Amino acid sequence: MLSLHLGHLSDLAHCPTRPRLCFISMYFASLARLSLFPGVAGSLPRAFAAPGAFGDLFAVVLAWVALILLRRPAGYAALWLFNLWGAGDLLFAFYQGLFDEDFHPSALGATFYIPTVYVPLLLCVHFMLFALLLRARSMSTNAAAGS
């Protein structure tokens, strides 16, 4: 089944996937630094900041792995893994911010712009990557059916 996708992996490598991965990896790296160091992000509870920071750091690693492997057979799987992890990490942080009893929005301090500006922007980028991945899959499925 994976061999069906390899023919159109080069299409993903030449489409706007690479700039999106670079943008996301730089954002996640900065967000992780802000969340890990006390005082930078206000007075965030450690139970809120630590999972988000380490999830963001792992997303950065996955984004770089996906960038490195993009032109190889494992690139398609790496891109899916990164996109699933990154979107899940953002949605988990969003959920935690809404329903965690110990979290108060005033604890964000000067970093209030992260959940109000960057998180929605990153979710849009992740959804665009999902659309590109699904389009590449449907193209490879159509090509396999036609041959």
Side-chain angles (χ1 to χ4, degrees):
M1 187 70 173
L2 182 61
S3 62
L4 296 176
H5 305 298
L6 299 181
H8 293 284
L9 190 57
S10 61
D11 295 340
L12 279 176
H14 296 295
C15 74
T17 303
R18 190 173 299 273
R20 288 182 179 121
L21 280 172
C22 290
F23 169 74
I24 288 174
S25 66
M26 294 307 150
Y27 167 75
F28 277 131
S30 64
L31 181 60
R33 284 192 307 268
L34 285 175
S35 300
L36 283 176
F37 297 117
V40 175
S43 56
L44 285 175
R46 185 85 172 146
F48 177 81
F54 289 114
D56 293 344
L57 284 175
F58 190 62
V60 168
V61 170
L62 289 175
W64 282 106
V65 167
L67 277 169
I68 291 168
L69 296 177
L70 197 55
R71 293 185 187 265
R72 294 181 178 86
Y76 190 78
L79 194 55
W80 267 107
L81 182 63
F82 157 72
N83 209 34
L84 287 169
W85 179 270
D89 181 53
L90 288 171
L91 291 173
F92 175 72
F94 187 71
Y95 171 83
Q96 197 177 14
L98 286 175
F99 298 110
D100 187 2
E101 296 171 358
D102 296 331
F103 175 75
H104 301 287
S106 61
L108 288 170
T111 61
F112 71 92
Y113 64 89
I114 291 172
T116 57
V117 175
Y118 286 126
V119 170
L121 177 64
L122 284 174
L123 282 173
C124 288
V125 171
H126 276 291
F127 291 132
M128 284 189 281
L129 283 174
F130 278 127
L132 287 171
L133 287 167
L134 292 172
R135 186 179 73 187
R137 180 182 177 142
S138 68
M139 286 172 45
S140 64
T141 304
N142 291 341
S147 55

